[in-house]
Amino acid sequence: MKRSIAVIAMSVVMLTTFTSMQQDVSAANSSVVTRGHIENGVNLRDKPSLSGRVIGLLKKGSDVTVLERSNDYFYKVQSGDGSIGYVSASDKYISVGETAATPTPSPQGASAVVKYGVNFRDEPSASGRVLGMLRKGSAVTVLERSNNYFYKVLTESGQIGYVSTSDKYLEIGGTVPGPTPTVPVPSVPTPSPAPAPGAPSISERIESVIRTGQKYLGTPYEFGSDRSTTTSFDCSDFVRQAYREALDIVLPADSRKQGQWVRDNGTAVYDIGSLKRGDLVFFMEYRGSSPSAYQGVDVNNERITHVSIYLGDGQLLHTYSAKSGGVRVDKFDGSWKHRFLYGGSVLK
């Protein structure tokens, strides 16, 4: 009798310990949810990739909930209005209170062995970025069949990615789960004169561009500067950097193509008095400081040689020579007025 009681008691202790271990494992697998602060305006996309559709813009100074770090380059976040999407993980755009954990999936699924070397991608698509190659003979866990062409798999090193469903590549033992249900991403609101709730207005976006440009005041001038750095600028590189960094709008790389871009995508303005803050302003080559040097010049046949950002109140933000001191603010007078061709807004 005593022996039976002892066995029962031992069984209860083992069951309690096993249950506790299961709970600890479950807690270890849960994702960390933390707060994020938007340092600079950043696009909210419908998938964790630069090819993702832009569904909104998170304003500088706003707070979000970081749901997970989806990959090396994107966080999955929920904004203050409840929208869920993906933003760049660069600390230029977002700061987080603690490291957002990459979701650790439970390794429930079908075990598989790689039969033939296969590309390991970051999206269930042939256009997905190749993260590496899974070698023949390596083992993976197939988490789901994401679509007709790709499995979502977990490697032995803990990486998650996607591989082809062709039976040429994997030998699977067991049943593969179906795709995990996803939270629907809000669709882009139909454009209207009034901005969508929470979305920055055009004037706010323009101010973001100007603030970005002004932080480079004094940066040296270099003709034909490297478009991938911010150590020096020529005029078109400076304008391009301000719009790309502030609004993720990538303008053409030279001033003539930028001028054509404004004509093709907006309304060209040929009267200085009609220019608005944030407009790009295009100029012909320098011929002299007096009005007479420009008499008889047909502006329609003149080639663009310079571009700047109009600040309003007769001021230009630009860079035009090493001697001038690099990025600076100048008055829109004298030869600048004589050289003026046209201007226009990048934003509609």
Side-chain angles (χ1 to χ4, degrees), residues 48 70-71 102-103 105 118-125 128-134 140-147 149-165 170 176:
S70 303
N71 54 41
T102 301
V118 60
N119 282 334
F120 184 59
R121 300 180 183 272
D122 67 347
E123 296 178 29
S125 164
R129 185 169 59 91
V130 176
L131 303 174
M133 176 174 281
L134 301 183
V140 297
T141 300
V142 182
L143 302 175
E144 67 177 34
R145 186 178 182 120
S146 301
N147 54 41
Y149 307 102
F150 283 87
Y151 289 127
K152 183 177 184 180
V153 302
L154 174 68
T155 68
E156 291 177 301
S157 64
Q159 280 189 297
I160 296 174
Y162 301 87
V163 299
S164 170
T165 56
L170 295 185
V176 177

Side-chain angles (χ1 to χ4, degrees), residues 35-40 60-64 66 93-97:
R35 302 298 296 177
H37 183 74
I38 303 302
E39 301 293 343
N40 283 291
K60 179 180 179 180
S62 61
D63 290 318
V64 297
V66 180
Y93 296 110
I94 185 171
S95 58
V96 294

Side-chain angles (χ1 to χ4, degrees), residues 294-346:
Y294 301 88
Q295 287 182 353
V297 172
D298 184 355
V299 296
N300 295 313
N301 294 325
E302 287 299 311
R303 186 168 172 261
I304 293 172
T305 62
H306 184 67
V307 59
S308 68
I309 299 174
Y310 185 57
L311 297 180
D313 298 324
Q315 292 186 313
L316 301 171
L317 176 63
H318 60 171
T319 184
Y320 60 92
S321 72
K323 186 177 179 180
S324 71
V327 178
R328 57 181 288 157
V329 175
D330 277 317
K331 289 184 178 180
F332 194 173
D333 60 9
S335 65
W336 291 118
K337 281 191 173 183
H338 307 324
R339 296 172 60 188
F340 172 72
L341 294 175
Y342 64 92
S345 177
V346 171

Side-chain angles (χ1 to χ4, degrees), residues 36-108:
H37 183 74
I38 303 302
E39 301 293 343
N40 283 291
V42 61
N43 284 330
L44 183 69
R45 300 180 183 272
D46 68 351
K47 60 181 179 180
S49 167
L50 286 175
S51 64
R53 183 168 56 90
V54 176
I55 60 173
L57 182 72
L58 300 181
K59 294 168 63 175
K60 179 180 179 180
S62 61
D63 290 318
V64 297
T65 300
V66 180
L67 303 178
E68 66 179 39
R69 182 153 187 157
S70 303
N71 54 41
D72 288 343
Y73 306 103
F74 282 87
Y75 286 125
K76 183 177 183 180
V77 303
Q78 183 171 22
S79 65
D81 65 2
S83 299
I84 294 176
Y86 302 88
V87 299
S88 169
S90 169
D91 55 12
K92 169 182 159 183
Y93 296 110
I94 185 171
S95 58
V96 294
E98 58 186 86
T99 302
T102 301
T104 307
S106 171
Q108 295 177 352

